[in-house]
Amino acid sequence: IPVRTEYGKMVRRAFIPEENSKLLSSDYSQIELRVFAHFSKVPELINSFVNGKDIHTTTAMDIFKVPSLGVTKNMRRQAKAVNFGILYGISSYGLSEDLGIPVKEAKEFINKYFETYPGVKDYMNKEIADATKDGYVKTIMNRKRIIEELNSSNYNVRSMGERMALNTPIQGSASDILKKAMVEIYDVFEKNNMKSKMLLQVHDELIFNVYNDEIDRVKKIVHDIMTNVFELSVPLEVDIETGNNWYEA
């Protein structure tokens, strides 16, 4: 269900709660980047999250060597694209498409990122080497994914395997954490005979039908469980909103 287009907003307004209820949306803030910071142990990334800074602004400051007030919207947009792109093993061509810049400029930007955060490249190289040796990768809760593509003689297939080796532990671990939170929230709702219900998971967001007289309780339960469900080296943060339809929430 799209959210950024006008048509998507209209579609989201069609999702409404039951009578005497609101829809509540609880969204993990940048969970994949937080998991990445935890796994890679890169001090700059960890410090940014621990100190409650905006990771994309911090990255732009580090790469462009400017103070926070000197970070333009475009600088932050570029930093955001490379921050997320690194998780998916993005190529210079992919980044150039995302940002609408020449491939050469995108390549320089990625190189500058790795120079700024050398620990990221070290982590990525080790992940790929370990996955190639073992034949699989694991998530934070030890779910395993076999990656046969890493031993392919075909360069494109092998490259795809490398992207899987980098991305699976990050996305898979974010999924582990959210699923564990869902189980715990459900259990607390059942134990306390709550009328409110968990309706839907969308990526790193949970949607609830919450009765008006339970809103404050549900907000507290959901926030406390989602932020404490798994201990990382960086804090887990959650944004909670309510509304009379999905778009408002």
Side-chain angles (χ1 to χ4, degrees):
I1 308 296
V3 67
R4 288 191 174 89
T5 62
E6 277 308 309
Y7 182 70
K9 290 172 185 175
M10 285 169 63
V11 171
R12 285 194 173 225
R13 288 191 183 101
F15 291 84
I16 58 172
E18 293 177 13
E19 232 177 296
N20 302 316
S21 303
K22 293 259 193 295
L23 285 185
L24 182 144
S25 161
S26 181
D27 194 358
Y28 269 126
S29 171
Q30 299 170 333
I31 187 170
E32 289 180 4
L33 284 171
R34 290 170 192 270
V35 169
F36 182 73
H38 173 81
F39 276 145
S40 66
K41 299 183 174 65
V42 174
E44 296 90 343
L45 301 181
I46 289 173
N47 291 340
S48 184
F49 284 123
V50 167
N51 295 321
K53 294 178 181 172
D54 175 67
I55 187 72
H56 306 311
T57 300
T58 304
T59 300
M61 288 165 62
D62 291 344
I63 288 176
F64 294 109
K65 304 284 190 289
V66 293
S68 60
L69 292 174
V71 175
T72 64
K73 275 187 181 175
N74 193 49
M75 284 178 180
R76 186 183 181 278
R77 186 174 73 92
Q78 289 182 317
K80 182 177 180 178
V82 79
N83 270 337
F84 282 112
I86 291 299
L87 300 182
Y88 306 112
I90 201 168
S91 64
S92 45
Y93 174 76
L95 186 64
S96 76
E97 290 282 291
D98 282 355
L99 292 175
I101 59 176
V103 175
K104 185 174 179 235
E105 201 177 311
K107 190 173 191 308
E108 286 169 4
F109 197 82
I110 290 172
N111 288 340
K112 203 184 287 185
Y113 181 94
F114 287 139
E115 283 168 22
T116 306
Y117 307 129
V120 169
K121 191 66 175 168
D122 294 342
Y123 163 76
M124 291 169 73
N125 289 340
K126 185 177 184 310
E127 277 293 292
I128 291 168
D130 288 350
T132 305
K133 177 171 65 73
D134 298 335
Y136 62 86
V137 291
K138 289 198 294 191
T139 68
I140 209 161
M141 295 183 196
N142 289 316
R143 280 192 300 129
K144 188 186 286 189
R145 180 178 184 175
I146 307 292
I147 307 181
E148 293 173 348
E149 290 86 349
L150 286 167
N151 294 310
S152 172
S153 55
N154 181 306
Y155 173 78
N156 288 332
V157 173
R158 200 166 60 249
S159 296
M160 183 174 69
E162 290 179 358
R163 287 195 295 276
M164 286 181 198
L166 291 172
N167 183 237
T168 297
I170 307 299
Q171 274 195 317
S173 298
S175 177
D176 284 353
I177 291 167
L178 188 61
K179 294 295 191 296
K180 188 168 187 287
M182 290 169 75
V183 170
E184 291 191 13
I185 290 167
Y186 175 83
D187 287 345
V188 171
F189 277 19
E190 286 289 294
K191 186 178 164 189
N192 290 283
N193 296 314
M194 310 282 283
K195 295 176 293 183
S196 302
K197 298 287 180 195
M198 194 185 321
L199 297 179
L200 188 66
Q201 177 217 346
V202 186
H203 303 300
D204 48 11
E205 173 188 12
L206 297 178
I207 313 292
F208 299 82
N209 185 99
V210 183
Y211 284 86
N212 294 333
D213 59 346
E214 292 184 344
I215 285 177
D216 290 339
R217 276 180 80 196
V218 169
K219 277 185 178 178
K220 183 169 182 355
I221 289 167
V222 170
H223 179 271
D224 289 354
I225 289 175
M226 288 182 74
T227 53
N228 295 295
V229 70
F230 198 92
E231 193 173 339
L232 300 177
S233 52
V234 298
L236 286 168
E237 285 193 10
V238 175
D239 299 316
I240 296 178
E241 300 289 343
T242 57
N244 294 312
N245 57 57
W246 192 7
Y247 174 68
E248 276 186 24

